[in-house]
Amino acid sequence: MKGKKIFISKKRALVSAIASLLVVFYAFNFVPRNINIIATRSLSRQILDYVLNFIIFFIVFYLVLTLIAYLIKKIFPKFK
């Protein structure tokens, strides 16, 4: 049962959430093309865009970190 816990990790979720927030914040506030697109939308649509992009990036980062953890576990079985 111990090996099944590799896919659920609070630490990995926290790292993914922070990375997602940073990427979404940067993409929507510092990329000129995205600033122009977001500026033309209503407030509710802007919030929806932020939330959806956060969720997408969170899932991608979490899956990538999980894949890296899985590969490390397979390559170095005694490594914790």
Side-chain angles (χ1 to χ4, degrees):
M1 268 327 231
K2 226 177 189 182
K4 301 245 182 210
K5 290 186 98 177
I6 192 169
F7 296 107
I8 301 171
S9 171
K10 289 181 186 176
K11 186 177 179 181
R12 214 174 302 132
L14 181 65
V15 170
S16 297
I18 292 170
S20 298
L21 282 174
L22 291 174
V23 168
V24 170
F25 182 77
Y26 173 77
F28 282 158
N29 294 313
F30 295 108
V31 176
R33 181 172 180 245
N34 294 341
I35 293 170
N36 293 334
I37 292 170
I38 290 294
T40 62
R41 296 189 176 173
S42 66
L43 181 61
S44 60
R45 182 66 190 254
Q46 288 177 7
I47 293 170
L48 181 65
D49 286 344
Y50 275 96
V51 170
L52 286 176
N53 279 285
F54 171 78
I55 291 170
I56 291 168
F57 279 112
F58 176 81
I59 291 170
V60 168
F61 286 137
Y62 191 82
L63 289 175
V64 167
L65 290 174
T66 303
L67 177 65
I68 291 169
Y70 177 76
L71 292 174
I72 288 174
K73 187 174 180 180
K74 286 294 183 185
I75 294 171
F76 305 108
K78 295 182 183 181
F79 182 72
K80 281 190 174 184

